């Protein structure tokens, strides 16, 4: 059992009922084996495990905790293939009517925030994500747990050079919109957004990097009538995505 549970650099541990359930539905081939706590009983999950003939072991809480020490693994852990990033070309080189809205996440360091953003955009649909390979959180086990299966429904690319990527997106017909708090930013609810759209969201502390600002076609802000604070980055993402979806439909 210990040999089976050993993680390699080519695998990750997915934990929690929703995360494993969505993976079983969408990409069961990526699952190498599953560990269930001895008292685990969720028929819909157990039936899928059985139907895909995935190796399974029932273990005590103590042994499960040795495999993945997490606050709440909800009685289920799956050893899966390491996360596979999409190529950036795959994201942007589509016919106009099939182009997704590409969100460039400039230096999101908190895995909780990245996980929530993945879950958010998967719920809205029609979005893809780009994250930097430096000074940012990668798609790790915590991110996947928070995403609750959302990673199965959204393509995510990882790049070293955001400026080049934005230029490349523009060559493919994308308009680049930056979300920021500044005097020259327009109210997101009042500006007619151009499509296909690339949205740049900056880090919570520093906002969008200066080198990226020169590539922006439009600057938008979320109107706030209350306290002069700021929205958490994942909450800002929800508000922006909602408005994008509304305008995309109309």
């Amino acid at each position: 059992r210990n040999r089976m549970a050993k993680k390699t650099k080519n695998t990750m541990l997915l934990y929690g009922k929703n995360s494993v359930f969505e993976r079983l539905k969408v990409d069961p081939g990526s699952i190498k084996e599953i560990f269930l706590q001895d008292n685990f009983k969720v028929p819909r999950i157990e039936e899928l495990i059985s139907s895909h003939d995935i190796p399974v072991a029932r273990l005590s809480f103590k042994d499960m905790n040795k495999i993945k020490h997490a606050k709440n693994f909800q009685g289920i852990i799956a050893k899966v293939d390491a996360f596979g990033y999409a190529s950036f070309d795959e994201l942007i080189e589509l016919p106009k009517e099939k182009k997704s809205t590409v969100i460039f996440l400039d230096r999101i360091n908190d895995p909780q925030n990245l996980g929530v953003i993945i879950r958010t955009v998967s719920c809205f649909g029609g979005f893809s994500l780009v994250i930097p390979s430096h000074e940012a959180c990668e798609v790790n086990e915590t991110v996947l747990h928070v995403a609750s299966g959302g990673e199965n429904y959204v393509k995510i690319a990882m790049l070293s050079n955001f400026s080049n990527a934005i230029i490349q997106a523009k060559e493919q017909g994308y308009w680049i919109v930056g979300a920021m708090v500044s005097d020259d930013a327009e109210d997101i609810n009042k500006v007619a957004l151009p499509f296909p759209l690339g949205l740049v969201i900056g880090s919570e502390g520093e906002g969008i990097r200066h080198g990226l600002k020169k590539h922006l076609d439009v600057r938008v802000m979320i109107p706030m009538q209350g306290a002069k604070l700021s929205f958490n980055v994942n909450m800002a993402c929800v508000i922006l995505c909602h408005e994008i979806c509304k305008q995309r439909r109309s």
Side-chain angles (χ1 to χ4, degrees):
R1 280 180 180 175
N2 287 341
R3 185 187 59 79
M4 286 172 65
K6 196 174 179 185
K7 193 174 69 165
T8 69
K9 65 178 181 180
N10 298 321
T11 59
M12 299 174 80
L13 295 175
L14 200 60
Y15 58 101
K17 292 172 189 171
N18 282 350
S19 294
V20 179
F21 181 58
E22 291 301 325
R23 186 64 66 94
L24 280 163
K25 284 196 302 183
V26 179
D27 189 12
S30 68
I31 304 174
K32 302 303 177 196
E33 56 190 306
I34 290 180
F35 305 95
L36 301 177
Q37 199 171 319
D38 42 23
N39 61 352
F40 183 90
K41 191 164 177 57
V42 182
R44 63 178 186 166
I45 290 176
E46 292 170 282
E47 284 162 16
L48 278 173
I49 294 170
S50 178
S51 69
H52 294 300
D53 205 23
I54 296 165
V56 64
R58 284 198 178 262
L59 305 172
S60 67
F61 175 81
K62 188 177 171 185
D63 286 340
M64 293 283 283
N65 212 38
K66 284 178 189 169
I67 294 171
K68 179 66 188 179
H69 186 63
K71 262 186 195 167
N72 188 7
F73 50 74
Q74 300 174 334
I76 184 165
I77 302 168
K79 188 161 84 168
V80 301
D81 290 333
F83 184 76
Y85 292 95
S87 76
F88 184 62
D89 292 350
E90 193 185 332
L91 264 51
I92 61 168
E93 290 178 4
L94 289 166
K96 189 173 181 181
E97 66 280 1
K98 289 187 178 178
K99 285 188 190 297
S100 63
T101 294
V102 179
I103 301 179
F104 296 87
L105 296 173
D106 183 24
R107 296 169 301 163
I108 305 299
N109 289 302
D110 186 337
Q112 297 284 333
N113 285 338
L114 181 55
V116 172
I117 289 169
I118 292 170
R119 184 172 181 171
T120 296
V121 298
S122 71
C123 289
F124 279 117
F127 290 90
S128 51
L129 298 174
V130 184
I131 61 176
S133 53
H134 306 292
E135 297 182 76
C137 179
E138 63 179 352
V139 180
N140 59 27
E141 293 175 357
T142 303
V143 170
L144 292 180
H145 177 65
V146 176
S148 294
E151 78 282 356
N152 299 291
Y153 302 96
V154 57
K155 288 180 177 172
I156 305 170
M158 182 189 267
L159 297 173
S160 59
N161 192 317
F162 263 35
S163 285
N164 285 355
I166 287 171
I167 292 165
Q168 192 183 338
K170 285 187 164 195
E171 287 168 355
Q172 290 290 330
Y174 277 83
W175 295 83
I176 306 299
V177 172
M180 57 180 62
V181 181
S182 75
D183 294 338
D184 61 347
E186 302 176 71
D187 183 337
I188 180 71
N189 302 309
K190 293 178 180 172
V191 63
L193 294 170
F195 293 93
L197 179 68
L199 173 68
V200 184
I201 299 177
S203 70
E204 286 192 85
E206 301 168 51
I208 297 171
R209 264 180 286 201
H210 180 72
L212 299 181
K213 288 179 183 175
K214 63 185 178 190
H215 299 301
L216 301 177
D217 298 307
V218 183
R219 299 176 181 215
V220 298
M221 46 84 74
I222 298 168
M224 293 184 291
Q225 304 303 319
K228 297 300 176 194
L229 301 171
S230 63
F231 290 104
N232 171 285
V233 67
N234 53 45
M235 185 53 68
C237 187
V238 172
I239 296 166
L240 295 163
C241 287
H242 178 263
E243 182 59 30
I244 289 166
C245 285
K246 199 165 74 176
Q247 293 203 30
R248 207 161 51 187
R249 281 195 303 272
S250 61

